[in-house]
Amino acid sequence: MLQAVLNGSRPEDAHPALPVLARHLARDARAVARLGVQSVHVHPRDPLGHETIDPVHVGDAVALIRQEAPGVEIGVTTGRWIQPDPNLRIEAVLSWGRLGVGKPDVCSVNVHEKGWVEVCRAAASVNIGVELGVWTSGDAVTLRQSGVPPRTVRVLAESTVVSDPETAVAEAVRIVRALGQLPVPVLLHGEEDGAWPVLEYALRMGVDTRIGFEDVLVRPDGWLATGNDDLVRAALGIRV
């Protein structure tokens, strides 16, 4: 599987085509869906462009994406940097369960963040799947000791601590080895200078991966991408 990660935490001025508003996220989701992408991950924003987990803005973004890209899995973040209080993150996730067509299919939960188990439990209680973010081999050990929570759809092995290409791939290998055998798929990715090397490694290993403006702004040839669909086309064109 190739997932498209459309915006992440990047500021509005990071790229002229960065989707921030809900309608722009929906536009990009439609474009990558036409290329065969079946999963998108987005960071909804409020009217000022700030990342948010507020049900109003999450629901608006998800509903518009679902309208423009029916059948595509839609994931959102629960990142601590957006809401530091784990209890408020839990309340937000529970409220997503009442959003109807604006309800996310999955949410990403980082294993290193306080309250991650409870956030996963809240998501499962309202039938929202979970992507577990594992940033280091230490996080991988934590997950193995805790066990994979119910409703987990995949584990994100995120080699994002370093962006040097060779180091990023080496860190990816360490994380995957530390995860061991899991009952769910692993999605492996890097970011910035490490994004394309880690994606190529994932393709060689036959595991899921992702691409999009959240992870990188340039194509493998170093040229600035024209949009998320440009990055997806480049990824689909890689032969390893």
Side-chain angles (χ1 to χ4, degrees), residues 47-226:
L48 296 178
H50 301 142
E51 292 176 272
T52 180
I53 59 174
D54 185 292
V56 172
H57 305 304
V58 170
D60 286 348
V62 172
L64 277 175
I65 292 170
R66 203 175 302 286
Q67 177 180 312
E68 294 296 324
V72 169
E73 177 192 77
I74 305 169
V76 300
T77 183
T78 64
R80 179 180 60 189
W81 62 91
I82 301 172
Q83 174 49 259
D85 187 332
N87 292 318
L88 294 180
R89 292 203 303 275
I90 291 167
E91 288 181 15
V93 171
L94 290 173
S95 68
W96 295 348
R98 301 188 292 272
L99 290 175
V101 295
K103 173 183 169 182
D105 298 306
V106 298
C107 62
S108 61
V109 181
N110 296 316
V111 170
H112 68 273
E113 293 178 352
K114 182 179 179 181
W116 72 276
V117 172
E118 291 75 18
V119 174
C120 290
R121 188 178 299 127
S125 73
V126 292
N127 293 316
I128 294 175
V130 172
E131 295 180 315
L132 289 174
V134 175
W135 291 16
T136 66
S137 53
D139 293 344
V141 172
T142 297
L143 177 58
R144 287 175 60 185
Q145 291 173 343
S146 300
V148 175
R151 294 282 300 177
T152 298
V153 298
R154 66 184 62 92
V155 170
L156 307 176
E158 309 192 64
S159 180
T160 57
V161 177
V162 292
S163 62
D164 171 74
E166 290 186 7
T167 310
V169 173
E171 180 63 14
V173 173
R174 282 192 289 269
I175 295 172
V176 170
R177 286 178 177 170
L179 284 169
Q181 296 295 318
L182 294 173
V184 296
V186 171
L187 186 154
L188 180 62
H189 77 98
E191 66 178 17
E192 306 304 357
D193 290 345
W196 291 109
V198 173
L199 180 140
E200 291 181 11
Y201 174 76
L203 294 176
R204 287 197 301 272
M205 298 304 294
V207 300
D208 295 341
T209 189
R210 73 184 211 182
I211 202 66
F213 278 150
E214 175 169 350
D215 289 345
V216 68
L217 299 177
V218 299
R219 297 164 42 86
D221 57 14
W223 287 92
L224 192 68
T226 58

